[in-house]
Coordinates of all heavy atoms in Angstrom, one line a residue:
M1210 N 41.0 119.4 79.7 CA 41.8 118.2 79.3 C 43.2 118.7 78.8 O 44.2 118.1 79.0 CB 41.1 117.4 78.3 CG 41.8 116.2 77.8 SD 41.2 114.8 78.6 CE 42.2 113.5 77.9
G1211 N 43.2 119.8 78.0 CA 44.4 120.3 77.4 C 45.5 120.7 78.5 O 46.7 120.5 78.3
N1212 N 45.0 121.3 79.6 CA 45.9 121.7 80.6 C 46.6 120.5 81.3 O 47.7 120.6 81.7 CB 45.2 122.6 81.6 CG 45.0 124.0 81.1 OD1 45.7 124.4 80.2 ND2 44.1 124.7 81.7
S1213 N 45.8 119.5 81.5 CA 46.4 118.3 82.2 C 47.4 117.6 81.4 O 48.4 117.1 81.9 CB 45.3 117.3 82.7 OG 44.6 116.8 81.5
V1214 N 47.3 117.6 80.0 CA 48.2 117.0 79.1 C 49.5 117.9 79.1 O 50.6 117.3 79.2 CB 47.7 116.9 77.7 CG1 48.7 116.5 76.7 CG2 46.5 115.9 77.7
K1215 N 49.3 119.2 79.1 CA 50.5 120.1 79.2 C 51.3 119.9 80.5 O 52.5 119.9 80.5 CB 50.1 121.6 79.0 CG 49.7 121.9 77.6 CD 49.4 123.4 77.5 CE 49.0 123.8 76.1 NZ 48.6 125.2 76.0
S1216 N 50.5 119.8 81.6 CA 51.1 119.6 82.9 C 51.9 118.3 82.9 O 53.0 118.3 83.5 CB 50.0 119.6 84.0 OG 50.6 119.4 85.2
L1217 N 51.4 117.3 82.4 CA 52.1 116.0 82.3 C 53.3 116.1 81.5 O 54.4 115.5 81.9 CB 51.1 114.9 81.8 CG 51.6 113.5 81.8 CD1 52.0 113.0 83.2 CD2 50.6 112.5 81.2
N1218 N 53.2 116.8 80.4 CA 54.4 116.9 79.5 C 55.5 117.7 80.2 O 56.7 117.4 80.1 CB 54.0 117.6 78.2 CG 53.3 116.6 77.3 OD1 53.4 115.4 77.4 ND2 52.5 117.2 76.3
V1219 N 55.1 118.8 80.9 CA 56.1 119.6 81.7 C 56.8 118.7 82.7 O 58.0 118.8 82.9 CB 55.4 120.8 82.3 CG1 56.3 121.5 83.3 CG2 54.9 121.8 81.2
K1220 N 56.0 117.9 83.4 CA 56.6 117.0 84.4 C 57.6 116.1 83.8 O 58.6 115.8 84.4 CB 55.5 116.3 85.2 CG 54.7 117.2 86.1 CD 53.6 116.3 86.8 CE 52.8 117.2 87.7 NZ 51.7 116.5 88.4
R1221 N 57.2 115.5 82.7 CA 58.1 114.6 82.0 C 59.4 115.3 81.6 O 60.5 114.7 81.7 CB 57.4 114.0 80.8 CG 56.4 113.0 81.1 CD 55.8 112.4 79.9 NE 54.7 111.4 80.2 CZ 53.8 111.0 79.4 NH1 53.8 111.4 78.1 NH2 52.9 110.1 79.8
V1222 N 59.3 116.5 81.1 CA 60.5 117.2 80.7 C 61.4 117.5 81.9 O 62.6 117.4 81.9 CB 60.1 118.5 79.9 CG1 61.3 119.4 79.8 CG2 59.5 118.2 78.6
L1223 N 60.8 117.9 83.0 CA 61.5 118.2 84.2 C 62.2 116.9 84.8 O 63.4 117.0 85.2 CB 60.6 118.8 85.3 CG 60.1 120.2 85.0 CD1 59.1 120.7 86.1 CD2 61.3 121.2 84.9
V1224 N 61.5 115.8 84.7 CA 62.1 114.6 85.2 C 63.3 114.2 84.3 O 64.4 113.8 84.8 CB 61.1 113.4 85.2 CG1 61.7 112.1 85.4 CG2 60.1 113.7 86.4
A1225 N 63.1 114.3 83.0 CA 64.2 114.0 82.0 C 65.4 114.9 82.3 O 66.6 114.4 82.2 CB 63.7 114.1 80.6
A1226 N 65.1 116.2 82.5 CA 66.2 117.1 82.7 C 66.9 116.8 84.0 O 68.2 116.9 84.1 CB 65.7 118.6 82.7
S1227 N 66.2 116.4 85.0 CA 66.8 116.1 86.3 C 67.7 114.8 86.2 O 68.8 114.8 86.8 CB 65.7 115.8 87.4 OG 65.0 117.0 87.6
I1228 N 67.2 113.8 85.5 CA 68.0 112.6 85.3 C 69.3 112.9 84.5 O 70.4 112.5 84.8 CB 67.2 111.6 84.6 CG1 66.1 111.1 85.5 CG2 68.0 110.4 84.1 CD1 65.0 110.2 84.8
A1229 N 69.2 113.8 83.4 CA 70.4 114.1 82.6 C 71.4 114.9 83.5 O 72.6 114.7 83.4 CB 69.9 115.0 81.4
A1230 N 70.9 115.8 84.3 CA 71.8 116.6 85.2 C 72.5 115.7 86.2 O 73.7 115.8 86.4 CB 71.0 117.7 85.9
A1231 N 71.8 114.7 86.8 CA 72.4 113.8 87.7 C 73.4 112.9 87.0 O 74.5 112.7 87.6 CB 71.3 112.9 88.4
A1232 N 73.1 112.5 85.8 CA 74.1 111.7 85.1 C 75.4 112.4 84.8 O 76.4 111.9 84.7 CB 73.4 111.2 83.8
A1233 N 75.2 113.7 84.6 CA 76.4 114.5 84.3 C 77.2 114.8 85.5 O 78.5 114.9 85.5 CB 76.0 115.8 83.6
V1234 N 76.6 114.9 86.7 CA 77.3 115.3 87.9 C 78.0 114.1 88.6 O 79.1 114.2 89.1 CB 76.3 115.9 88.9 CG1 76.9 116.1 90.3 CG2 75.9 117.3 88.4
V1235 N 77.4 112.9 88.5 CA 77.9 111.7 89.2 C 79.3 111.4 88.8 O 80.2 111.2 89.7 CB 76.9 110.5 89.0 CG1 77.6 109.2 89.5 CG2 75.6 110.7 89.8
P1236 N 79.7 111.3 87.6 CA 81.1 111.0 87.3 C 82.1 112.1 87.8 O 83.2 111.7 88.2 CB 81.1 111.0 85.7 CG 79.8 110.8 85.3 CD 78.9 111.4 86.4
I1237 N 81.7 113.3 87.8 CA 82.5 114.4 88.3 C 82.8 114.2 89.8 O 83.9 114.3 90.3 CB 82.0 115.8 88.0 CG1 81.9 116.0 86.5 CG2 82.7 116.9 88.7 CD1 81.1 117.2 86.0
V1238 N 81.7 113.9 90.5 CA 81.8 113.8 92.0 C 82.6 112.5 92.4 O 83.4 112.6 93.3 CB 80.4 113.7 92.6 CG1 80.4 113.3 94.1 CG2 79.6 115.0 92.4
T1239 N 82.4 111.4 91.7 CA 83.2 110.2 92.0 C 84.6 110.3 91.6 O 85.5 109.7 92.2 CB 82.5 109.0 91.3 OG1 82.5 109.2 89.9 CG2 81.1 108.7 91.9
A1240 N 85.0 111.1 90.6 CA 86.4 111.2 90.1 C 87.2 112.2 91.0 O 88.4 112.2 90.9 CB 86.4 111.6 88.7
A1241 N 86.5 113.1 91.7 CA 87.2 114.2 92.4 C 88.3 113.7 93.4 O 89.4 114.2 93.4 CB 86.2 115.1 93.1
P1242 N 88.0 112.7 94.2 CA 89.1 112.3 95.2 C 90.3 111.7 94.5 O 91.4 112.0 95.0 CB 88.4 111.2 96.0 CG 86.9 111.5 95.9 CD 86.8 112.1 94.5
A1243 N 90.2 111.0 93.4 CA 91.4 110.4 92.8 C 92.3 111.5 92.2 O 93.5 111.4 92.2 CB 90.9 109.5 91.7
S1244 N 91.7 112.6 91.7 CA 92.5 113.6 91.1 C 93.1 114.6 92.2 O 94.0 115.4 91.9 CB 91.7 114.5 90.1 OG 90.6 115.0 90.7
A1245 N 92.7 114.5 93.4 CA 93.2 115.4 94.5 C 94.5 114.9 95.1 O 95.2 115.7 95.7 CB 92.1 115.6 95.6
T1246 N 94.8 113.6 95.0 CA 96.0 113.1 95.7 C 97.3 113.7 95.2 O 98.1 114.0 96.0 CB 96.0 111.6 95.8 OG1 95.9 111.1 94.5 CG2 94.9 111.0 96.6
P1247 N 97.5 113.8 93.9 CA 98.8 114.4 93.5 C 98.9 115.9 94.0 O 100.0 116.4 94.3 CB 98.7 114.4 92.0 CG 97.9 113.2 91.7 CD 96.9 113.2 92.8
L1248 N 97.7 116.5 94.2 CA 97.7 117.9 94.7 C 98.3 117.9 96.1 O 98.9 118.9 96.5 CB 96.3 118.4 94.6 CG 96.1 119.9 95.0 CD1 97.0 120.8 94.1 CD2 94.7 120.3 94.9
E1249 N 98.0 116.9 96.9 CA 98.5 116.8 98.3 C 100.1 116.8 98.2 O 100.7 117.4 99.1 CB 98.0 115.6 99.0 CG 96.5 115.8 99.3 CD 95.9 114.6 100.0 OE1 96.6 113.8 100.6 OE2 94.7 114.4 99.8
C1250 N 100.6 116.0 97.3 CA 102.1 115.9 97.1 C 102.6 117.3 96.7 O 103.6 117.8 97.3 CB 102.4 114.9 96.0 SG 104.1 114.8 95.4
I1251 N 102.0 118.0 95.8 CA 102.4 119.3 95.3 C 102.3 120.3 96.5 O 103.3 121.1 96.7 CB 101.5 119.7 94.1 CG1 101.8 118.8 92.9 CG2 101.7 121.2 93.8 CD1 100.7 118.9 91.8
N1252 N 101.2 120.3 97.2 CA 101.0 121.2 98.3 C 102.1 121.0 99.4 O 102.6 121.9 100.0 CB 99.6 121.1 98.9 CG 98.6 121.7 98.0 OD1 98.9 122.5 97.1 ND2 97.4 121.3 98.2
Y1253 N 102.4 119.7 99.7 CA 103.4 119.4 100.7 C 104.8 120.0 100.3 O 105.5 120.6 101.1 CB 103.5 117.9 100.9 CG 104.7 117.5 101.8 CD1 104.6 117.7 103.2 CD2 105.9 117.1 101.3 CE1 105.6 117.3 104.0 CE2 107.0 116.8 102.1 CZ 106.8 116.9 103.5 OH 107.9 116.6 104.3
L1254 N 105.1 119.8 99.0 CA 106.4 120.3 98.5 C 106.5 121.8 98.5 O 107.5 122.4 98.9 CB 106.7 119.7 97.1 CG 107.0 118.2 97.1 CD1 107.0 117.7 95.7 CD2 108.3 117.9 97.8
E1255 N 105.4 122.5 98.1 CA 105.3 123.9 98.2 C 105.5 124.4 99.6 O 106.2 125.4 99.9 CB 104.0 124.4 97.6 CG 104.0 124.4 96.1 CD 102.7 124.9 95.5 OE1 101.6 124.8 96.2 OE2 102.7 125.3 94.4
H1256 N 104.8 123.7 100.6 CA 104.9 124.1 102.0 C 106.3 123.9 102.5 O 106.7 124.7 103.4 CB 103.9 123.2 102.8 CG 103.9 123.6 104.3 ND1 103.3 124.7 104.7 CD2 104.4 123.0 105.3 CE1 103.4 124.8 106.0 NE2 104.1 123.7 106.4
Q1257 N 107.1 123.0 102.0 CA 108.4 122.8 102.4 C 109.4 123.8 101.7 O 110.6 123.8 102.0 CB 108.9 121.3 102.1 CG 108.1 120.3 102.8 CD 108.2 120.4 104.3 OE1 109.3 120.7 104.9 NE2 107.1 120.3 105.0
G1258 N 108.9 124.6 100.8 CA 109.7 125.6 100.2 C 110.3 125.3 98.8 O 111.1 126.0 98.3
Y1259 N 109.9 124.2 98.3 CA 110.4 123.8 97.0 C 109.6 124.5 95.8 O 108.4 124.6 95.9 CB 110.3 122.3 96.8 CG 111.2 121.5 97.8 CD1 110.6 120.9 98.9 CD2 112.6 121.4 97.6 CE1 111.4 120.2 99.8 CE2 113.4 120.7 98.5 CZ 112.8 120.1 99.6 OH 113.6 119.4 100.4
P1260 N 110.3 124.8 94.8 CA 109.6 125.4 93.6 C 108.9 124.2 92.9 O 109.4 123.1 92.8 CB 110.7 125.9 92.7 CG 111.9 125.2 93.1 CD 111.8 124.9 94.6
V1261 N 107.7 124.4 92.5 CA 106.9 123.4 91.9 C 106.6 123.8 90.4 O 105.9 124.8 90.2 CB 105.6 123.1 92.6 CG1 104.7 122.2 91.9 CG2 105.9 122.6 94.0
G1262 N 107.1 123.0 89.5 CA 106.9 123.3 88.1 C 106.4 122.0 87.5 O 106.0 121.0 88.2
P1263 N 106.4 121.9 86.1 CA 105.8 120.8 85.4 C 106.5 119.4 85.8 O 105.8 118.4 85.9 CB 106.0 121.1 84.0 CG 106.2 122.6 83.9 CD 106.8 123.0 85.2
K1264 N 107.8 119.4 86.0 CA 108.5 118.2 86.3 C 108.1 117.6 87.6 O 107.9 116.4 87.8 CB 110.0 118.4 86.2 CG 110.5 118.6 84.8 CD 112.0 118.8 84.8 CE 112.5 119.1 83.4 NZ 113.9 119.3 83.3
V1265 N 108.0 118.5 88.6 CA 107.6 118.1 90.0 C 106.1 117.6 89.9 O 105.8 116.6 90.6 CB 107.8 119.3 91.0 CG1 107.1 118.9 92.3 CG2 109.3 119.5 91.2
I1266 N 105.3 118.3 89.2 CA 103.9 118.0 89.1 C 103.7 116.6 88.5 O 103.0 115.7 89.0 CB 103.1 119.0 88.3 CG1 103.0 120.3 89.1 CG2 101.7 118.5 87.9 CD1 102.5 121.5 88.3
N1267 N 104.5 116.3 87.4 CA 104.5 115.0 86.8 C 105.0 113.9 87.8 O 104.4 112.8 87.8 CB 105.3 114.9 85.5 CG 104.6 115.5 84.4 OD1 103.4 115.5 84.3 ND2 105.3 115.9 83.4
S1268 N 106.0 114.2 88.6 CA 106.5 113.2 89.6 C 105.4 112.9 90.6 O 105.2 111.8 91.0 CB 107.7 113.8 90.3 OG 108.8 113.8 89.4
C1269 N 104.7 114.0 91.0 CA 103.6 113.8 92.0 C 102.5 112.9 91.4 O 101.9 112.1 92.0 CB 103.1 115.1 92.5 SG 104.2 115.9 93.7
K1270 N 102.2 113.2 90.1 CA 101.2 112.3 89.4 C 101.6 110.9 89.3 O 100.9 110.0 89.5 CB 100.9 112.9 88.0 CG 100.1 114.2 88.0 CD 99.9 114.7 86.6 CE 99.1 116.0 86.6 NZ 99.0 116.5 85.2
N1271 N 102.9 110.7 89.1 CA 103.5 109.3 89.1 C 103.3 108.6 90.4 O 103.2 107.4 90.5 CB 105.0 109.3 88.6 CG 105.1 109.6 87.2 OD1 104.2 109.6 86.4 ND2 106.4 110.0 86.8
G1272 N 103.4 109.4 91.5 CA 103.2 108.8 92.8 C 101.9 108.3 93.1 O 101.7 107.5 94.0
D1273 N 100.9 108.6 92.2 CA 99.5 108.2 92.4 C 99.2 107.1 91.3 O 98.1 106.7 91.1 CB 98.6 109.3 92.3 CG 97.1 109.0 92.6 OD1 96.9 108.1 93.5 OD2 96.2 109.5 92.0
S1274 N 100.2 106.6 90.6 CA 100.0 105.7 89.5 C 99.6 104.3 90.0 O 99.9 103.9 91.1 CB 101.3 105.5 88.7 OG 101.2 104.5 87.7
G1275 N 98.8 103.6 89.2 CA 98.5 102.2 89.5 C 99.6 101.3 89.3 O 99.6 100.2 89.8
S1276 N 100.6 101.7 88.6 CA 101.8 100.9 88.3 C 102.8 101.1 89.4 O 103.2 102.2 89.7 CB 102.4 101.3 86.9 OG 103.7 100.8 86.8
V1277 N 103.3 100.0 90.0 CA 104.3 100.1 91.1 C 105.6 100.7 90.5 O 106.2 101.5 91.2 CB 104.5 98.7 91.7 CG1 105.7 98.7 92.7 CG2 103.3 98.1 92.3
V1278 N 106.0 100.3 89.3 CA 107.2 100.8 88.8 C 107.2 102.3 88.6 O 108.1 103.0 89.0 CB 107.5 100.1 87.4 CG1 108.7 100.7 86.8 CG2 107.7 98.6 87.6
I1279 N 106.1 102.8 88.0 CA 105.9 104.3 87.8 C 105.8 105.0 89.2 O 106.4 106.0 89.4 CB 104.7 104.6 86.9 CG1 105.0 104.0 85.5 CG2 104.4 106.1 86.9 CD1 103.8 104.1 84.6
R1280 N 105.1 104.4 90.1 CA 104.9 105.0 91.4 C 106.3 105.1 92.2 O 106.5 106.1 92.8 CB 103.9 104.1 92.3 CG 103.3 104.8 93.4 CD 102.2 104.1 94.1 NE 102.4 102.7 94.3 CZ 101.7 101.7 93.8 NH1 100.7 101.9 93.0 NH2 102.0 100.4 94.1
Q1281 N 107.1 104.1 92.0 CA 108.5 104.1 92.6 C 109.4 105.2 92.0 O 110.3 105.6 92.7 CB 109.1 102.8 92.5 CG 108.5 101.7 93.4 CD 109.1 100.3 93.2 OE1 109.7 100.0 92.2 NE2 108.8 99.5 94.2
S1282 N 109.0 105.7 90.8 CA 109.9 106.7 90.2 C 109.6 108.1 90.9 O 110.5 109.0 90.7 CB 109.6 106.8 88.7 OG 108.3 107.4 88.5
C1283 N 108.5 108.2 91.6 CA 108.2 109.5 92.2 C 109.3 110.0 93.1 O 109.8 111.1 92.8 CB 106.9 109.4 92.9 SG 106.4 110.9 93.8
P1284 N 109.7 109.3 94.1 CA 110.7 109.9 95.0 C 112.1 110.0 94.3 O 112.9 111.0 94.6 CB 110.8 108.9 96.2 CG 110.2 107.7 95.7 CD 109.2 108.1 94.7
V1285 N 112.4 109.1 93.4 CA 113.7 109.1 92.7 C 113.8 110.4 91.9 O 114.8 111.1 91.9 CB 113.9 107.9 91.8 CG1 115.1 108.0 91.0 CG2 113.9 106.6 92.7
T1286 N 112.7 110.7 91.1 CA 112.8 111.9 90.3 C 112.8 113.2 91.1 O 113.4 114.1 90.8 CB 111.7 111.9 89.2 OG1 110.4 111.8 89.9 CG2 111.8 110.8 88.2
L1287 N 112.0 113.2 92.2 CA 112.0 114.4 93.1 C 113.3 114.7 93.6 O 113.8 115.8 93.7 CB 110.9 114.2 94.2 CG 109.5 114.3 93.7 CD1 108.5 114.0 94.9 CD2 109.1 115.7 93.1
V1288 N 114.0 113.6 94.1 CA 115.4 113.8 94.6 C 116.3 114.3 93.5 O 117.1 115.2 93.8 CB 115.9 112.5 95.2 CG1 117.4 112.6 95.5 CG2 115.2 112.2 96.5
S1289 N 116.1 113.8 92.3 CA 117.0 114.3 91.2 C 116.7 115.8 90.9 O 117.6 116.5 90.3 CB 116.8 113.5 89.9 OG 115.6 113.8 89.3
F1290 N 115.6 116.3 91.3 CA 115.3 117.8 91.1 C 115.7 118.6 92.3 O 115.4 119.8 92.4 CB 113.8 118.0 90.9 CG 113.2 117.2 89.7 CD1 111.9 116.7 89.8 CD2 113.9 117.0 88.6 CE1 111.4 116.0 88.7 CE2 113.4 116.3 87.5 CZ 112.1 115.8 87.6
G1291 N 116.3 118.0 93.3 CA 116.8 118.7 94.5 C 116.0 118.6 95.7 O 116.3 119.3 96.7
V1292 N 115.0 117.8 95.7 CA 114.2 117.6 96.9 C 114.9 116.6 97.9 O 115.4 115.6 97.4 CB 112.8 117.0 96.5 CG1 111.9 116.7 97.8 CG2 112.0 118.0 95.6
K1293 N 114.9 117.0 99.2 CA 115.6 116.1 100.1 C 114.8 114.7 100.1 O 113.6 114.7 100.0 CB 115.5 116.7 101.5 CG 116.4 117.9 101.7 CD 116.3 118.4 103.1 CE 117.2 119.7 103.3 NZ 117.1 120.2 104.6
S1294 N 115.5 113.6 100.4 CA 114.9 112.3 100.2 C 113.8 112.1 101.2 O 112.7 111.5 100.8 CB 116.0 111.2 100.4 OG 116.5 111.3 101.7
N1295 N 113.9 112.6 102.4 CA 112.7 112.4 103.4 C 111.5 113.2 102.9 O 110.4 112.8 103.1 CB 113.1 112.8 104.8 CG 113.6 114.2 105.0 OD1 114.2 114.8 104.1 ND2 113.3 114.8 106.1
H1296 N 111.7 114.4 102.3 CA 110.6 115.2 101.8 C 110.0 114.5 100.6 O 108.8 114.5 100.4 CB 111.0 116.6 101.5 CG 111.4 117.4 102.7 ND1 112.2 118.6 102.6 CD2 111.1 117.3 104.0 CE1 112.3 119.1 103.8 NE2 111.7 118.3 104.6
A1297 N 110.8 113.9 99.7 CA 110.3 113.3 98.5 C 109.5 112.0 98.9 O 108.4 111.8 98.4 CB 111.5 112.8 97.7
A1298 N 110.0 111.3 99.9 CA 109.2 110.1 100.4 C 107.9 110.5 100.9 O 106.8 109.9 100.6 CB 110.0 109.3 101.4
T1299 N 107.9 111.6 101.8 CA 106.6 112.0 102.4 C 105.6 112.5 101.3 O 104.5 112.2 101.3 CB 106.9 113.1 103.4 OG1 107.7 112.6 104.4 CG2 105.6 113.6 104.0
A1300 N 106.2 113.3 100.3 CA 105.3 113.8 99.3 C 104.7 112.7 98.4 O 103.5 112.8 98.1 CB 106.2 114.8 98.4
C1301 N 105.5 111.7 98.1 CA 105.0 110.6 97.3 C 104.0 109.8 98.0 O 103.1 109.3 97.4 CB 106.2 109.8 96.7 SG 107.2 110.8 95.5
R1302 N 104.2 109.6 99.3 CA 103.2 108.9 100.1 C 101.9 109.7 100.1 O 100.8 109.1 100.0 CB 103.7 108.7 101.5 CG 104.5 107.4 101.7 CD 104.7 107.1 103.2 NE 105.3 108.2 104.0 CZ 106.6 108.4 104.1 NH1 107.4 107.6 103.5 NH2 107.0 109.4 104.9
A1303 N 102.0 111.0 100.2 CA 100.8 111.9 100.1 C 100.1 111.7 98.8 O 98.8 111.8 98.8 CB 101.2 113.3 100.4
A1304 N 100.8 111.5 97.7 CA 100.2 111.3 96.4 C 99.4 110.1 96.4 O 98.4 110.0 95.6 CB 101.3 111.3 95.3
R1305 N 99.7 109.1 97.1 CA 99.0 107.8 97.2 C 97.8 107.8 98.1 O 97.0 106.9 98.1 CB 99.9 106.6 97.5 CG 100.9 106.3 96.4 CD 101.6 105.0 96.7 NE 102.2 104.9 98.0 CZ 103.5 105.2 98.3 NH1 104.3 105.6 97.3 NH2 104.0 105.1 99.5
A1306 N 97.8 108.7 99.0 CA 96.8 108.7 100.1 C 95.4 108.9 99.6 O 95.1 109.3 98.6 CB 97.1 109.9 101.1

């Protein structure tokens, strides 16, 4: 009888640990695509030969904003940093993709 109780307790612990692990992983998996879009903007600009620093990274993040006003600032600020307007428009579209 003692072994069956221990076996049941071990199963309960394993189930609880599995549920906790799944609860920790699900938010990470669901958040990953949203955080990848500014990276597409950054990668595009790097591929075009532009230096990418904190200001460019912030502009790419703005391109993925839920606010239309902030999103529209993306190409404007990139152009002010020396990015050609067609490259800035493409990069900011990539940030929203």
